Structures are given as structure tokens and as C-alpha cells.
Amino acid sequence: MAKGKDARPIVRLVSTAGTGYTYVTRKNRRNDPERMSLRKFDPVVRRHVEFTEAR
């Protein structure tokens, strides 16, 4: 049971505030082939910042 190219891979979202805080989520590779970018809460700086997909 090999897991080849999954349609929904697990991606790591890293804070752009430079705190090192990360979120882990899944994305649909067919609908969103480019890098994911979401605005989420960073508890280290205690505000909402942009999180980008790390490879």
C-alpha cells in the first residue's frame, strides 16, 4: 500500500512574523497548485499574521 502522489498532501504553514510558529493542514493539490497563504493567529506575537506554505 504505497502512498504515491496524494491529492491532499499535508503542508506546514510558517508564520511570516519570524516567530517560528507553525500550523499543519491539508490542501487539495488539484484546486490549489501554487503555494498556500492564509491569515491566522500567531500566539507568540498575539496577533493575526500571514502564514505561508513551507516546502
Side-chain angles (χ1 to χ4, degrees), residues 8-51:
R8 288 193 171 272
I10 297 172
V11 295
R12 199 172 88 229
L13 301 174
V14 181
S15 174
T16 57
T19 59
Y21 192 79
T22 61
Y23 281 97
V24 177
T25 187
R26 293 178 160 271
K27 78 169 192 175
N28 191 329
R29 190 179 280 148
R30 290 188 190 123
N31 294 340
D32 301 310
E34 64 276 351
R35 286 194 180 195
M36 184 184 281
S37 178
L38 296 174
R39 191 163 167 82
K40 296 182 77 62
F41 184 76
D42 188 340
V44 179
V45 292
R46 295 184 0 203
R47 63 180 58 211
H48 283 81
V49 296
E50 195 79 18
F51 279 77

